[in-house]
């Protein structure tokens, strides 16, 4: 059988530590919760399997039970970022003089050209500046917090290959007014970067994936608990910390192969995918800070995700069941035209908020409240059957991948330790339980447990904050026997992938 080319996986270091004296000011920015995320090791085989299922036109994963995706709700609960607010956009200037002037204005000091890489400020310069800032007055504390935010943006939240070991300075002007930092939708911008990373990884000429992989892994482990490592801190927030240092207690999971996840996805049945992942019987609402749910009104909005040149589509109408709503046949795929795939290469000196290719999408986000999902006026069961019939006919020949042989490292995450040695010393000891060891590694769950049917919900999406007793009803299950095995000649480019963990 023909072998498939595979991708390199860029999984950045965990958040930098911060001085406890700045905690009050850090909370005012909306980045406090993300600063609590510890070391969440990558499972590269799982990431690879998810990339194979990503469709860059629909901005969804294609699984046998239907379409699904990482949403604004997932960003809020897994990373703890604010999801409502102003779009993260504005001017980008490519001159070093503009970068220098902005740093002088906000930090009182500017990096040399050798401490930058194009329009990116090296993370090492920001770390040195942060460690040497005096915390004796409000100005010093705010400068310290701004450095910390830029480091977060450049690593687990927005980090990409274009910045390598740096962070683009385009974000810095949004931090000028300290009290206004929290007014931006940092969560939607982070999600845009994850979508962009998945869309890029789906191209045949792409050699690696970057972006907020902690978010991607957390989403998969919440939605597919039988394919997740054993949670080490189930009552921790943000929810990404459920799997902080998971490798210490579940080393066998580290060595699961791409073929294992691919087969599990091929055989996935209704009931194995958790559509309502944050119900009170799965996540204790008492651990979720009240301010997180203040943004929930936009979680189901079908809107563009905006981050300067990056525009991606939050296609919630294609996975309404994630919001406890009835799923029907969605509208046509939204064409983002020239805004999709835009990159910051070469001089790009203009305002992305008013750029001809982006203005319409920025305004669409501004009107996000008008695009929140609501109930469909059709009984749930016939509507779902209609959707599944359409879905099988439209995408059925892309859902069985187990017959494909990839040039993968069949050792799963065998190179993980080597990458972890490259982490900053401060990052490695940020968890209080680093010396804690689990008594033994639990057995890997069976690939295909008996499914439990889940009910269909209707009405406008409201995050669940009280317990609804589960109930069962008849729902048609469908397996891979109903799909034609996809022939290698018809395999889309976005299935030709490889992932090799490379922690930076």
């Amino acid at each position: 059988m023909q072998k498939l080319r595979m991708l390199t996986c860029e999984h950045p270091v965990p958040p930098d530590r911060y001085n406890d004296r700045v905690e009050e000011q850090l909370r005012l920015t909306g980045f406090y919760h993300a600063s609590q995320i510890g070391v969440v090791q990558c499972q590269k085989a799982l990431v690879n399997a998810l990339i194979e299922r990503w469709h860059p036109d629909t901005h969804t994963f294609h699984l046998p039970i239907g379409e699904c995706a990482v949403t604004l709700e997932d960003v809020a609960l897994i990373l703890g970022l604010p999801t409502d607010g102003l779009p993260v956009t504005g001017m980008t200037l490519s001159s070093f003089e503009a970068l220098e002037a902005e740093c002088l204005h906000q930090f009182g000091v500017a990096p040399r050209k050798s401490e930058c890489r194009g329009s990116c400020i090296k993370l090492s310069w920001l770390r040195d500046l942060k460690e040497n800032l005096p915390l004796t007055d409000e100005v010093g504390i705010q400068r310290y917090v701004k450095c910390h935010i830029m480091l977060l943006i450049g690593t687990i939240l927005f980090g990409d290959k274009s910045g390598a070991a740096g962070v683009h300075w385009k974000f810095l002007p949004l931090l000028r007014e300290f009290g206004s930092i929290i007014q931006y939708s940092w969560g939607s911008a982070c999600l845009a970067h994850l979508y962009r990373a998945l869309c890029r990884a789906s191209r045949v000429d792409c050699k690696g994936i970057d972006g907020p992989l902690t978010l991607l892994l957390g989403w998969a482990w919440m939605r597919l608990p039988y394919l997740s490592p054993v949670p080490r801190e189930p009552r921790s927030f943000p929810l990404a910390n459920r799997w902080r240092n998971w490798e210490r207690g579940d080393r066998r999971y580290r060595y699961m192969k791409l073929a294992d996840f691919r087969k599990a996805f091929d055989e996935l049945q209704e009931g194995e995918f958790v559509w309502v992942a944050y119900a009170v019987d799965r996540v204790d609402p008492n651990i979720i800070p009240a301010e997180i749910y203040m943004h929930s009104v936009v979680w189901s909005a079908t809107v563009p995700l905006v981050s300067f040149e990056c525009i991606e589509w939050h296609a919630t109408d294609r996975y309404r069941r994630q919001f406890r709503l009835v799923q029907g046949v969605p509208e046509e795929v939204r064409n983002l035209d020239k805004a999709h795939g835009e990159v910051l290469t070469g001089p790009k000196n203009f305002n992305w908020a008013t750029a001809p290719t982006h203005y319409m999408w920025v305004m669409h986000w501004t009107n996000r409240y008008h695009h929140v999902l609501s109930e469909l006026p059709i009984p749930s069961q016939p509507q779902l059957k209609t959707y599944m019939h359409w879905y099988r006919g439209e995408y059925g020949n892309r859902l069985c991948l187990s017959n494909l042989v990839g040039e993968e490292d069949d050792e799963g995450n065998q190179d993980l330790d080597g990458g972890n040695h490259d982490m900053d010393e401060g990052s490695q000891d940020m968890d209080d339980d680093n010396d804690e060891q689990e008594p033994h590694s639990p057995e890997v769950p069976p690939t295909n447990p008996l499914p439990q049917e889940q009910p269909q919900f209707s009405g406008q999406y409201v995050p669940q904050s009280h317990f609804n007793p589960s109930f069962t009803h008849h729902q048609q299950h469908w397996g891979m026997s109903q799909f034609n095995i996809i022939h290698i000649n018809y395999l889309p480019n976005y299935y030709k992938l490889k992932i090799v963990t490379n922690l930076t």
Side-chain angles (χ1 to χ4, degrees):
M1 175 160 306
Q2 181 174 343
K3 292 188 175 183
L4 304 182
R5 186 181 60 82
M6 303 176 72
L7 288 177
T8 300
C9 178
E10 301 285 347
H11 191 60
V13 298
D16 291 69
R17 302 185 69 178
Y18 62 89
N19 191 304
D20 291 340
R21 294 170 61 184
V22 308
E23 181 172 311
E24 182 179 352
Q25 294 293 320
L26 183 58
R27 285 182 179 273
L28 298 177
T29 66
F31 284 91
Y32 169 77
H33 298 302
S35 299
Q36 309 308 306
I37 299 173
V39 180
V40 180
Q41 288 92 346
C42 188
Q43 216 305 345
K44 63 179 183 180
L46 174 58
V47 175
N48 188 22
L50 289 169
I51 295 171
E52 290 181 343
R53 302 286 173 163
W54 181 259
H55 197 300
D57 295 331
T58 61
H59 289 90
T60 57
F61 297 109
H62 286 185
L63 298 175
I65 44 80
E67 294 175 86
C68 54
V70 188
T71 71
L72 292 173
E73 179 181 28
D74 298 302
V75 179
L77 295 171
I78 294 174
L79 298 183
L81 287 174
T83 47
D84 195 14
L86 300 172
V88 175
T89 190
M91 289 291 300
T92 56
L93 298 172
S94 57
S95 71
F96 174 76
E97 290 73 23
L99 182 159
E100 185 179 43
E102 189 66 34
C103 287
L104 285 171
H105 175 70
Q106 295 208 44
F107 299 127
V109 62
R112 297 185 293 268
K113 280 192 175 183
S114 61
E115 294 166 319
C116 299
R117 183 174 298 172
S119 295
C120 293
I121 305 172
K122 290 184 178 179
L123 299 181
S124 56
W125 183 84
L126 287 167
R127 288 192 178 103
D128 289 341
L129 173 62
K130 177 180 153 186
E131 293 305 315
N132 290 288
L133 282 169
L135 302 180
T136 55
D137 55 22
E138 187 175 8
V139 172
I141 291 175
Q142 289 186 0
R143 287 176 174 176
Y144 183 99
V145 171
K146 289 179 181 181
C147 280
H148 183 70
I149 291 173
M150 289 294 283
L151 289 168
L152 284 175
I153 290 174
T155 55
I156 68 163
L157 301 182
F158 297 79
D160 57 38
K161 291 176 292 185
S162 62
V167 55
H168 202 290
W169 77 277
K170 64 187 177 184
F171 298 101
L172 199 51
L174 303 186
L175 310 183
R176 284 179 192 164
E177 299 296 327
F178 193 83
S180 300
I181 296 174
I182 198 171
Q183 295 182 13
Y184 290 94
S185 178
W186 298 104
S188 66
C190 177
L191 187 57
H193 279 252
L194 175 60
Y195 280 17
R196 182 178 67 171
L198 289 166
C199 289
R200 284 180 173 177
S202 70
R203 300 196 311 242
V204 69
D205 60 341
C206 185
K207 298 181 180 179
I209 181 172
D210 49 26
L213 297 185
T214 296
L215 172 61
L216 178 63
L217 290 165
W219 174 86
W221 293 336
M222 289 297 301
R223 303 285 174 176
L224 296 158
Y226 76 102
L227 293 177
S228 75
V230 176
R232 302 196 72 225
E233 299 184 25
R235 290 186 51 80
S236 179
F237 187 84
L239 299 186
N241 275 340
R242 285 189 171 200
W243 297 280
R244 178 163 52 186
N245 287 332
W246 62 262
E247 193 271 342
R248 293 176 181 268
D250 199 353
R251 294 184 66 86
R252 289 186 60 190
Y253 183 79
R254 166 183 171 182
Y255 294 99
M256 288 185 66
K257 302 174 183 178
L258 171 59
D260 298 324
F261 292 109
R262 184 182 283 162
K263 184 174 186 294
F265 288 164
D266 283 354
E267 298 176 351
L268 188 65
Q269 296 185 29
E270 193 68 59
E272 294 174 341
F273 183 88
V274 183
W275 291 104
V276 185
Y278 307 106
V280 296
D281 56 340
R282 295 184 49 79
V283 176
D284 184 352
N286 293 322
I287 70 172
I288 310 298
E291 67 266 21
I292 296 298
Y293 283 114
M294 291 175 60
H295 300 278
S296 63
V297 65
V298 301
W299 288 350
S300 70
T302 308
V303 289
L305 303 169
V306 179
S307 178
F308 288 93
E309 80 285 358
C310 180
I311 302 290
E312 301 291 339
W313 190 250
H314 194 231
T316 55
D317 60 316
R318 306 187 75 92
Y319 40 87
R320 297 170 60 91
R321 284 176 287 176
Q322 288 186 219
F323 302 100
R324 310 188 242 333
L325 298 174
V326 177
Q327 180 62 59
V329 177
E331 297 179 359
E332 292 186 10
V333 172
R334 183 59 66 105
N335 181 9
L336 297 175
D337 201 26
K338 295 181 180 180
H340 193 225
E342 181 72 68
V343 294
L344 286 180
T345 55
K348 294 287 177 69
N349 300 313
F350 51 88
N351 191 340
W352 293 98
T354 58
T357 55
H358 285 54
Y359 174 75
M360 177 179 68
W361 307 115
V362 172
M363 291 305 299
H364 194 145
W365 169 261
T366 303
N367 295 321
R368 58 197 174 278
Y369 301 128
H370 297 293
H371 303 284
V372 174
L373 294 184
S374 58
E375 180 181 5
L376 291 174
I378 302 176
S380 62
Q381 197 60 19
Q383 186 73 356
L384 179 61
K385 288 182 178 179
T386 301
Y387 165 77
M388 294 309 297
H389 178 75
W390 167 84
Y391 180 70
R392 295 169 193 163
E394 192 78 9
Y395 302 109
N397 65 339
R398 300 181 178 185
L399 302 179
C400 188
L401 306 181
S402 293
N403 62 315
L404 303 175
V405 178
E407 294 177 347
E408 64 172 310
D409 289 339
D410 254 359
E411 301 83 5
N413 273 0
Q414 197 165 46
D415 61 343
L416 187 66
D417 284 336
N420 282 347
H421 292 324
D422 295 333
M423 291 182 184
D424 292 342
E425 182 179 346
S427 297
Q428 286 203 26
D429 65 3
M430 73 181 297
D431 297 318
D432 294 332
D433 61 347
N434 273 356
D435 296 329
E436 201 176 299
Q437 294 292 334
E438 296 292 334
H440 60 85
S441 296
E443 294 294 324
V444 177
T447 303
N448 192 20
L450 293 176
Q452 288 184 327
E453 296 178 347
Q454 292 189 358
Q456 287 287 304
F457 298 87
S458 62
Q460 189 169 11
Y461 169 62
V462 178
Q464 183 166 330
S465 58
H466 63 281
F467 178 71
N468 290 326
S470 60
F471 59 93
T472 59
H473 61 85
H474 175 72
Q475 187 159 338
Q476 181 180 2
H477 297 295
W478 54 292
M480 294 314 303
S481 61
Q482 295 168 311
F483 299 109
N484 296 325
I485 301 298
I486 185 169
H487 193 277
I488 191 69
N489 291 335
Y490 297 102
L491 186 69
N493 288 341
Y494 45 87
Y495 291 149
K496 302 172 183 177
L497 311 170
K498 177 176 184 181
I499 290 185
V500 177
T501 304
N502 179 20
L503 296 175
T504 56

